[in-house]
PDB file of all heavy atoms in Angstrom:
ATOM      1  N   LYS A   1      29.577  16.166 251.001  1.00  0.00           N
ATOM      2  CA  LYS A   1      28.165  16.456 250.750  1.00  0.00           C
ATOM      3  C   LYS A   1      27.331  15.166 250.701  1.00  0.00           C
ATOM      4  O   LYS A   1      26.228  15.126 251.237  1.00  0.00           O
ATOM      5  CB  LYS A   1      27.999  17.259 249.458  1.00  0.00           C
ATOM      6  CG  LYS A   1      28.352  18.718 249.622  1.00  0.00           C
ATOM      7  CD  LYS A   1      27.425  19.369 250.645  1.00  0.00           C
ATOM      8  CE  LYS A   1      27.438  20.868 250.542  1.00  0.00           C
ATOM      9  NZ  LYS A   1      26.473  21.495 251.447  1.00  0.00           N
ATOM     10  N   GLN A   2      27.862  14.123 250.057  1.00  0.00           N
ATOM     11  CA  GLN A   2      27.147  12.845 249.988  1.00  0.00           C
ATOM     12  C   GLN A   2      26.941  12.242 251.365  1.00  0.00           C
ATOM     13  O   GLN A   2      26.004  11.485 251.583  1.00  0.00           O
ATOM     14  CB  GLN A   2      27.908  11.848 249.107  1.00  0.00           C
ATOM     15  CG  GLN A   2      27.874  12.178 247.642  1.00  0.00           C
ATOM     16  CD  GLN A   2      28.908  11.402 246.851  1.00  0.00           C
ATOM     17  OE1 GLN A   2      29.586  10.518 247.358  1.00  0.00           O
ATOM     18  NE2 GLN A   2      29.057  11.767 245.587  1.00  0.00           N
ATOM     19  N   ASN A   3      27.815  12.594 252.299  1.00  0.00           N
ATOM     20  CA  ASN A   3      27.718  12.072 253.660  1.00  0.00           C
ATOM     21  C   ASN A   3      27.008  13.052 254.601  1.00  0.00           C
ATOM     22  O   ASN A   3      27.087  12.908 255.818  1.00  0.00           O
ATOM     23  CB  ASN A   3      29.097  11.705 254.188  1.00  0.00           C
ATOM     24  CG  ASN A   3      29.579  10.387 253.615  1.00  0.00           C
ATOM     25  OD1 ASN A   3      29.222   9.327 254.109  1.00  0.00           O
ATOM     26  ND2 ASN A   3      30.347  10.450 252.541  1.00  0.00           N
ATOM     27  N   GLY A   4      26.339  14.056 254.043  1.00  0.00           N
ATOM     28  CA  GLY A   4      25.471  14.914 254.828  1.00  0.00           C
ATOM     29  C   GLY A   4      26.069  16.164 255.433  1.00  0.00           C
ATOM     30  O   GLY A   4      25.452  16.766 256.321  1.00  0.00           O
ATOM     31  N   ALA A   5      27.244  16.598 254.994  1.00  0.00           N
ATOM     32  CA  ALA A   5      27.826  17.836 255.524  1.00  0.00           C
ATOM     33  C   ALA A   5      26.889  19.002 255.223  1.00  0.00           C
ATOM     34  O   ALA A   5      26.363  19.113 254.121  1.00  0.00           O
ATOM     35  CB  ALA A   5      29.195  18.092 254.902  1.00  0.00           C
ATOM     36  N   LYS A   6      26.672  19.862 256.233  1.00  0.00           N
ATOM     37  CA  LYS A   6      25.779  21.003 255.993  1.00  0.00           C
ATOM     38  C   LYS A   6      26.507  22.193 255.369  1.00  0.00           C
ATOM     39  O   LYS A   6      25.873  23.058 254.779  1.00  0.00           O
ATOM     40  CB  LYS A   6      25.040  21.403 257.259  1.00  0.00           C
ATOM     41  CG  LYS A   6      25.824  22.114 258.324  1.00  0.00           C
ATOM     42  CD  LYS A   6      24.872  22.500 259.467  1.00  0.00           C
ATOM     43  CE  LYS A   6      25.594  23.113 260.625  1.00  0.00           C
ATOM     44  NZ  LYS A   6      24.672  23.408 261.725  1.00  0.00           N
ATOM     45  N   ALA A   7      27.810  22.257 255.492  1.00  0.00           N
ATOM     46  CA  ALA A   7      28.606  23.298 254.849  1.00  0.00           C
ATOM     47  C   ALA A   7      29.995  22.739 254.590  1.00  0.00           C
ATOM     48  O   ALA A   7      30.492  21.915 255.367  1.00  0.00           O
ATOM     49  CB  ALA A   7      28.700  24.542 255.733  1.00  0.00           C
ATOM     50  N   VAL A   8      30.606  23.182 253.489  1.00  0.00           N
ATOM     51  CA  VAL A   8      31.958  22.734 253.152  1.00  0.00           C
ATOM     52  C   VAL A   8      32.814  23.950 252.814  1.00  0.00           C
ATOM     53  O   VAL A   8      32.475  24.739 251.942  1.00  0.00           O
ATOM     54  CB  VAL A   8      31.973  21.743 251.965  1.00  0.00           C
ATOM     55  CG1 VAL A   8      33.400  21.318 251.645  1.00  0.00           C
ATOM     56  CG2 VAL A   8      31.104  20.526 252.248  1.00  0.00           C
ATOM     57  N   TYR A   9      33.911  24.074 253.539  1.00  0.00           N
ATOM     58  CA  TYR A   9      34.894  25.120 253.321  1.00  0.00           C
ATOM     59  C   TYR A   9      36.177  24.441 252.862  1.00  0.00           C
ATOM     60  O   TYR A   9      36.495  23.345 253.319  1.00  0.00           O
ATOM     61  CB  TYR A   9      35.170  25.893 254.613  1.00  0.00           C
ATOM     62  CG  TYR A   9      33.928  26.448 255.255  1.00  0.00           C
ATOM     63  CD1 TYR A   9      33.224  25.717 256.202  1.00  0.00           C
ATOM     64  CD2 TYR A   9      33.447  27.704 254.901  1.00  0.00           C
ATOM     65  CE1 TYR A   9      32.067  26.219 256.789  1.00  0.00           C
ATOM     66  CE2 TYR A   9      32.301  28.211 255.486  1.00  0.00           C
ATOM     67  CZ  TYR A   9      31.612  27.464 256.426  1.00  0.00           C
ATOM     68  OH  TYR A   9      30.468  27.965 257.001  1.00  0.00           O
ATOM     69  N   VAL A  10      36.916  25.087 251.987  1.00  0.00           N
ATOM     70  CA  VAL A  10      38.174  24.542 251.494  1.00  0.00           C
ATOM     71  C   VAL A  10      39.265  25.571 251.770  1.00  0.00           C
ATOM     72  O   VAL A  10      39.067  26.766 251.567  1.00  0.00           O
ATOM     73  CB  VAL A  10      38.105  24.231 249.980  1.00  0.00           C
ATOM     74  CG1 VAL A  10      39.451  23.752 249.465  1.00  0.00           C
ATOM     75  CG2 VAL A  10      37.017  23.203 249.683  1.00  0.00           C
ATOM     76  N   CYS A  11      40.410  25.091 252.255  1.00  0.00           N
ATOM     77  CA  CYS A  11      41.581  25.945 252.478  1.00  0.00           C
ATOM     78  C   CYS A  11      42.777  25.318 251.779  1.00  0.00           C
ATOM     79  O   CYS A  11      42.994  24.115 251.889  1.00  0.00           O
ATOM     80  CB  CYS A  11      41.906  26.040 253.970  1.00  0.00           C
ATOM     81  SG  CYS A  11      40.671  26.883 254.945  1.00  0.00           S
ATOM     82  N   ALA A  12      43.534  26.151 251.079  1.00  0.00           N
ATOM     83  CA  ALA A  12      44.748  25.675 250.422  1.00  0.00           C
ATOM     84  C   ALA A  12      45.784  26.785 250.439  1.00  0.00           C
ATOM     85  O   ALA A  12      45.455  27.958 250.264  1.00  0.00           O
ATOM     86  CB  ALA A  12      44.471  25.248 248.988  1.00  0.00           C
ATOM     87  N   THR A  13      47.026  26.393 250.650  1.00  0.00           N
ATOM     88  CA  THR A  13      48.102  27.370 250.675  1.00  0.00           C
ATOM     89  C   THR A  13      48.315  27.980 249.296  1.00  0.00           C
ATOM     90  O   THR A  13      48.404  29.200 249.168  1.00  0.00           O
ATOM     91  CB  THR A  13      49.408  26.717 251.173  1.00  0.00           C
ATOM     92  OG1 THR A  13      49.164  26.147 252.458  1.00  0.00           O
ATOM     93  CG2 THR A  13      50.526  27.724 251.280  1.00  0.00           C
ATOM     94  N   HIS A  14      48.386  27.160 248.274  1.00  0.00           N
ATOM     95  CA  HIS A  14      48.687  27.646 246.928  1.00  0.00           C
ATOM     96  C   HIS A  14      47.524  27.363 245.981  1.00  0.00           C
ATOM     97  O   HIS A  14      47.184  26.210 245.749  1.00  0.00           O
ATOM     98  CB  HIS A  14      49.954  26.994 246.375  1.00  0.00           C
ATOM     99  CG  HIS A  14      51.127  27.080 247.290  1.00  0.00           C
ATOM    100  ND1 HIS A  14      51.743  28.278 247.603  1.00  0.00           N
ATOM    101  CD2 HIS A  14      51.790  26.119 247.973  1.00  0.00           C
ATOM    102  CE1 HIS A  14      52.738  28.044 248.445  1.00  0.00           C
ATOM    103  NE2 HIS A  14      52.783  26.743 248.683  1.00  0.00           N
ATOM    104  N   GLY A  15      46.958  28.394 245.426  1.00  0.00           N
ATOM    105  CA  GLY A  15      45.891  28.254 244.433  1.00  0.00           C
ATOM    106  C   GLY A  15      46.468  28.292 243.030  1.00  0.00           C
ATOM    107  O   GLY A  15      46.413  29.323 242.365  1.00  0.00           O
ATOM    108  N   VAL A  16      47.012  27.165 242.581  1.00  0.00           N
ATOM    109  CA  VAL A  16      47.577  27.080 241.232  1.00  0.00           C
ATOM    110  C   VAL A  16      46.457  27.239 240.199  1.00  0.00           C
ATOM    111  O   VAL A  16      46.576  27.989 239.241  1.00  0.00           O
ATOM    112  CB  VAL A  16      48.347  25.751 241.028  1.00  0.00           C
ATOM    113  CG1 VAL A  16      48.864  25.629 239.599  1.00  0.00           C
ATOM    114  CG2 VAL A  16      49.479  25.633 242.039  1.00  0.00           C
ATOM    115  N   LEU A  17      45.372  26.501 240.395  1.00  0.00           N
ATOM    116  CA  LEU A  17      44.153  26.605 239.586  1.00  0.00           C
ATOM    117  C   LEU A  17      44.425  26.507 238.089  1.00  0.00           C
ATOM    118  O   LEU A  17      44.103  27.404 237.309  1.00  0.00           O
ATOM    119  CB  LEU A  17      43.392  27.888 239.931  1.00  0.00           C
ATOM    120  CG  LEU A  17      43.104  28.103 241.424  1.00  0.00           C
ATOM    121  CD1 LEU A  17      42.418  29.440 241.644  1.00  0.00           C
ATOM    122  CD2 LEU A  17      42.317  26.963 242.007  1.00  0.00           C
ATOM    123  N   SER A  18      44.995  25.384 237.676  1.00  0.00           N
ATOM    124  CA  SER A  18      45.346  25.165 236.269  1.00  0.00           C
ATOM    125  C   SER A  18      44.254  24.380 235.545  1.00  0.00           C
ATOM    126  O   SER A  18      43.371  23.787 236.166  1.00  0.00           O
ATOM    127  CB  SER A  18      46.683  24.430 236.172  1.00  0.00           C
ATOM    128  OG  SER A  18      46.585  23.164 236.790  1.00  0.00           O
ATOM    129  N   GLY A  19      44.347  24.372 234.224  1.00  0.00           N
ATOM    130  CA  GLY A  19      43.407  23.611 233.405  1.00  0.00           C
ATOM    131  C   GLY A  19      41.963  24.032 233.661  1.00  0.00           C
ATOM    132  O   GLY A  19      41.636  25.209 233.669  1.00  0.00           O
ATOM    133  N   SER A  20      41.120  23.042 233.915  1.00  0.00           N
ATOM    134  CA  SER A  20      39.689  23.293 234.125  1.00  0.00           C
ATOM    135  C   SER A  20      39.336  23.477 235.603  1.00  0.00           C
ATOM    136  O   SER A  20      38.179  23.327 235.990  1.00  0.00           O
ATOM    137  CB  SER A  20      38.861  22.155 233.520  1.00  0.00           C
ATOM    138  OG  SER A  20      39.197  20.925 234.148  1.00  0.00           O
ATOM    139  N   ALA A  21      40.313  23.812 236.435  1.00  0.00           N
ATOM    140  CA  ALA A  21      40.082  23.943 237.881  1.00  0.00           C
ATOM    141  C   ALA A  21      38.974  24.935 238.205  1.00  0.00           C
ATOM    142  O   ALA A  21      38.102  24.656 239.038  1.00  0.00           O
ATOM    143  CB  ALA A  21      41.375  24.347 238.594  1.00  0.00           C
ATOM    144  N   ILE A  22      38.964  26.091 237.571  1.00  0.00           N
ATOM    145  CA  ILE A  22      37.966  27.114 237.879  1.00  0.00           C
ATOM    146  C   ILE A  22      36.572  26.606 237.565  1.00  0.00           C
ATOM    147  O   ILE A  22      35.630  26.812 238.339  1.00  0.00           O
ATOM    148  CB  ILE A  22      38.281  28.437 237.135  1.00  0.00           C
ATOM    149  CG1 ILE A  22      39.543  29.069 237.717  1.00  0.00           C
ATOM    150  CG2 ILE A  22      37.115  29.402 237.184  1.00  0.00           C
ATOM    151  CD1 ILE A  22      39.435  29.457 239.195  1.00  0.00           C
ATOM    152  N   GLU A  23      36.410  25.936 236.439  1.00  0.00           N
ATOM    153  CA  GLU A  23      35.095  25.387 236.081  1.00  0.00           C
ATOM    154  C   GLU A  23      34.642  24.337 237.095  1.00  0.00           C
ATOM    155  O   GLU A  23      33.483  24.333 237.529  1.00  0.00           O
ATOM    156  CB  GLU A  23      35.139  24.788 234.669  1.00  0.00           C
ATOM    157  CG  GLU A  23      33.782  24.591 234.055  1.00  0.00           C
ATOM    158  CD  GLU A  23      32.980  25.883 233.943  1.00  0.00           C
ATOM    159  OE1 GLU A  23      33.554  26.956 233.679  1.00  0.00           O
ATOM    160  OE2 GLU A  23      31.756  25.827 234.141  1.00  0.00           O
ATOM    161  N   LYS A  24      35.559  23.473 237.505  1.00  0.00           N
ATOM    162  CA  LYS A  24      35.220  22.451 238.519  1.00  0.00           C
ATOM    163  C   LYS A  24      34.812  23.116 239.827  1.00  0.00           C
ATOM    164  O   LYS A  24      33.834  22.713 240.463  1.00  0.00           O
ATOM    165  CB  LYS A  24      36.416  21.528 238.765  1.00  0.00           C
ATOM    166  CG  LYS A  24      36.733  20.594 237.633  1.00  0.00           C
ATOM    167  CD  LYS A  24      37.999  19.806 237.958  1.00  0.00           C
ATOM    168  CE  LYS A  24      38.521  19.060 236.763  1.00  0.00           C
ATOM    169  NZ  LYS A  24      39.836  18.470 237.011  1.00  0.00           N
ATOM    170  N   LEU A  25      35.572  24.115 240.254  1.00  0.00           N
ATOM    171  CA  LEU A  25      35.274  24.805 241.515  1.00  0.00           C
ATOM    172  C   LEU A  25      33.972  25.593 241.425  1.00  0.00           C
ATOM    173  O   LEU A  25      33.197  25.639 242.381  1.00  0.00           O
ATOM    174  CB  LEU A  25      36.427  25.726 241.901  1.00  0.00           C
ATOM    175  CG  LEU A  25      37.731  25.018 242.267  1.00  0.00           C
ATOM    176  CD1 LEU A  25      38.884  26.005 242.328  1.00  0.00           C
ATOM    177  CD2 LEU A  25      37.585  24.258 243.573  1.00  0.00           C
ATOM    178  N   ARG A  26      33.715  26.206 240.281  1.00  0.00           N
ATOM    179  CA  ARG A  26      32.482  26.971 240.080  1.00  0.00           C
ATOM    180  C   ARG A  26      31.252  26.068 240.253  1.00  0.00           C
ATOM    181  O   ARG A  26      30.223  26.494 240.784  1.00  0.00           O
ATOM    182  CB  ARG A  26      32.476  27.603 238.693  1.00  0.00           C
ATOM    183  CG  ARG A  26      31.211  28.406 238.383  1.00  0.00           C
ATOM    184  CD  ARG A  26      31.226  29.025 236.995  1.00  0.00           C
ATOM    185  NE  ARG A  26      32.138  30.164 236.986  1.00  0.00           N
ATOM    186  CZ  ARG A  26      33.214  30.265 236.209  1.00  0.00           C
ATOM    187  NH1 ARG A  26      33.532  29.306 235.372  1.00  0.00           N
ATOM    188  NH2 ARG A  26      33.988  31.326 236.270  1.00  0.00           N
ATOM    189  N   ASN A  27      31.351  24.829 239.820  1.00  0.00           N
ATOM    190  CA  ASN A  27      30.223  23.902 239.857  1.00  0.00           C
ATOM    191  C   ASN A  27      30.158  23.066 241.131  1.00  0.00           C
ATOM    192  O   ASN A  27      29.226  22.283 241.301  1.00  0.00           O
ATOM    193  CB  ASN A  27      30.259  22.983 238.631  1.00  0.00           C
ATOM    194  CG  ASN A  27      30.075  23.773 237.348  1.00  0.00           C
ATOM    195  OD1 ASN A  27      29.282  24.703 237.292  1.00  0.00           O
ATOM    196  ND2 ASN A  27      30.830  23.424 236.322  1.00  0.00           N
ATOM    197  N   ALA A  28      31.121  23.191 242.006  1.00  0.00           N
ATOM    198  CA  ALA A  28      31.160  22.400 243.242  1.00  0.00           C
ATOM    199  C   ALA A  28      30.383  23.115 244.352  1.00  0.00           C
ATOM    200  O   ALA A  28      30.378  24.342 244.421  1.00  0.00           O
ATOM    201  CB  ALA A  28      32.604  22.169 243.674  1.00  0.00           C
ATOM    202  N   PRO A  29      29.762  22.343 245.243  1.00  0.00           N
ATOM    203  CA  PRO A  29      29.012  22.951 246.351  1.00  0.00           C
ATOM    204  C   PRO A  29      29.925  23.393 247.504  1.00  0.00           C
ATOM    205  O   PRO A  29      29.868  22.882 248.620  1.00  0.00           O
ATOM    206  CB  PRO A  29      28.061  21.829 246.779  1.00  0.00           C
ATOM    207  CG  PRO A  29      28.797  20.568 246.439  1.00  0.00           C
ATOM    208  CD  PRO A  29      29.604  20.888 245.199  1.00  0.00           C
ATOM    209  N   ILE A  30      30.781  24.385 247.216  1.00  0.00           N
ATOM    210  CA  ILE A  30      31.736  24.902 248.192  1.00  0.00           C
ATOM    211  C   ILE A  30      31.186  26.210 248.754  1.00  0.00           C
ATOM    212  O   ILE A  30      30.840  27.120 248.000  1.00  0.00           O
ATOM    213  CB  ILE A  30      33.113  25.154 247.538  1.00  0.00           C
ATOM    214  CG1 ILE A  30      33.715  23.849 247.022  1.00  0.00           C
ATOM    215  CG2 ILE A  30      34.063  25.852 248.507  1.00  0.00           C
ATOM    216  CD1 ILE A  30      34.964  24.031 246.175  1.00  0.00           C
ATOM    217  N   ASP A  31      31.105  26.298 250.083  1.00  0.00           N
ATOM    218  CA  ASP A  31      30.638  27.532 250.716  1.00  0.00           C
ATOM    219  C   ASP A  31      31.700  28.620 250.636  1.00  0.00           C
ATOM    220  O   ASP A  31      31.366  29.790 250.455  1.00  0.00           O
ATOM    221  CB  ASP A  31      30.234  27.266 252.171  1.00  0.00           C
ATOM    222  CG  ASP A  31      28.989  26.403 252.229  1.00  0.00           C
ATOM    223  OD1 ASP A  31      29.112  25.157 252.235  1.00  0.00           O
ATOM    224  OD2 ASP A  31      27.894  26.970 252.242  1.00  0.00           O
ATOM    225  N   GLN A  32      32.959  28.233 250.808  1.00  0.00           N
ATOM    226  CA  GLN A  32      34.043  29.197 250.689  1.00  0.00           C
ATOM    227  C   GLN A  32      35.340  28.462 250.394  1.00  0.00           C
ATOM    228  O   GLN A  32      35.584  27.389 250.928  1.00  0.00           O
ATOM    229  CB  GLN A  32      34.218  30.013 251.961  1.00  0.00           C
ATOM    230  CG  GLN A  32      35.250  31.120 251.821  1.00  0.00           C
ATOM    231  CD  GLN A  32      35.462  31.861 253.114  1.00  0.00           C
ATOM    232  OE1 GLN A  32      36.167  31.372 253.993  1.00  0.00           O
ATOM    233  NE2 GLN A  32      34.848  33.031 253.235  1.00  0.00           N
ATOM    234  N   LEU A  33      36.164  29.067 249.537  1.00  0.00           N
ATOM    235  CA  LEU A  33      37.494  28.562 249.227  1.00  0.00           C
ATOM    236  C   LEU A  33      38.488  29.632 249.646  1.00  0.00           C
ATOM    237  O   LEU A  33      38.494  30.730 249.080  1.00  0.00           O
ATOM    238  CB  LEU A  33      37.627  28.265 247.731  1.00  0.00           C
ATOM    239  CG  LEU A  33      39.035  28.038 247.179  1.00  0.00           C
ATOM    240  CD1 LEU A  33      39.737  26.888 247.874  1.00  0.00           C
ATOM    241  CD2 LEU A  33      38.985  27.805 245.685  1.00  0.00           C
ATOM    242  N   ALA A  34      39.294  29.349 250.655  1.00  0.00           N
ATOM    243  CA  ALA A  34      40.316  30.290 251.132  1.00  0.00           C
ATOM    244  C   ALA A  34      41.675  29.817 250.631  1.00  0.00           C
ATOM    245  O   ALA A  34      42.079  28.689 250.892  1.00  0.00           O
ATOM    246  CB  ALA A  34      40.308  30.366 252.653  1.00  0.00           C
ATOM    247  N   ILE A  35      42.337  30.705 249.870  1.00  0.00           N
ATOM    248  CA  ILE A  35      43.689  30.432 249.385  1.00  0.00           C
ATOM    249  C   ILE A  35      44.557  31.623 249.761  1.00  0.00           C
ATOM    250  O   ILE A  35      44.056  32.720 249.967  1.00  0.00           O
ATOM    251  CB  ILE A  35      43.734  30.192 247.862  1.00  0.00           C
ATOM    252  CG1 ILE A  35      43.148  31.389 247.096  1.00  0.00           C
ATOM    253  CG2 ILE A  35      43.018  28.906 247.485  1.00  0.00           C
ATOM    254  CD1 ILE A  35      43.274  31.304 245.588  1.00  0.00           C
ATOM    255  N   THR A  36      45.854  31.396 249.848  1.00  0.00           N
ATOM    256  CA  THR A  36      46.751  32.514 250.150  1.00  0.00           C
ATOM    257  C   THR A  36      47.127  33.235 248.860  1.00  0.00           C
ATOM    258  O   THR A  36      46.898  32.730 247.758  1.00  0.00           O
ATOM    259  CB  THR A  36      48.038  32.060 250.865  1.00  0.00           C
ATOM    260  OG1 THR A  36      48.881  31.384 249.928  1.00  0.00           O
ATOM    261  CG2 THR A  36      47.731  31.170 252.061  1.00  0.00           C
ATOM    262  N   ASP A  37      47.741  34.380 249.037  1.00  0.00           N
ATOM    263  CA  ASP A  37      48.213  35.152 247.888  1.00  0.00           C
ATOM    264  C   ASP A  37      49.647  34.784 247.500  1.00  0.00           C
ATOM    265  O   ASP A  37      50.357  35.577 246.889  1.00  0.00           O
ATOM    266  CB  ASP A  37      48.078  36.648 248.143  1.00  0.00           C
ATOM    267  CG  ASP A  37      48.843  37.125 249.372  1.00  0.00           C
ATOM    268  OD1 ASP A  37      49.433  36.296 250.096  1.00  0.00           O
ATOM    269  OD2 ASP A  37      48.838  38.345 249.619  1.00  0.00           O
TER     270      ASP A  37
END
C-alpha cells in the first residue's frame, strides 16, 4: 500500500490465525484473504 498498490489480495494455505491475528487482519487494508479449509 505504501508503494501505491491499488488492491491487495492475500493467499495462504493454512490460516492458523493465532493470538491477535484476527485484529491485525481486521485493521489491514486487505481486499480479500483466501485461505484453505
Side-chain angles (χ1 to χ4, degrees):
K1 283 298 198 175
Q2 289 165 7
N3 283 277
K6 74 177 175 183
V8 179
Y9 306 91
V10 176
C11 294
T13 303
H14 309 293
V16 177
L17 308 177
S18 62
S20 61
I22 291 298
E23 198 59 36
K24 289 176 191 171
L25 293 167
R26 179 180 286 120
N27 296 321
I30 297 171
D31 292 89
Q32 186 183 79
L33 166 58
I35 57 174
T36 73
D37 58 356

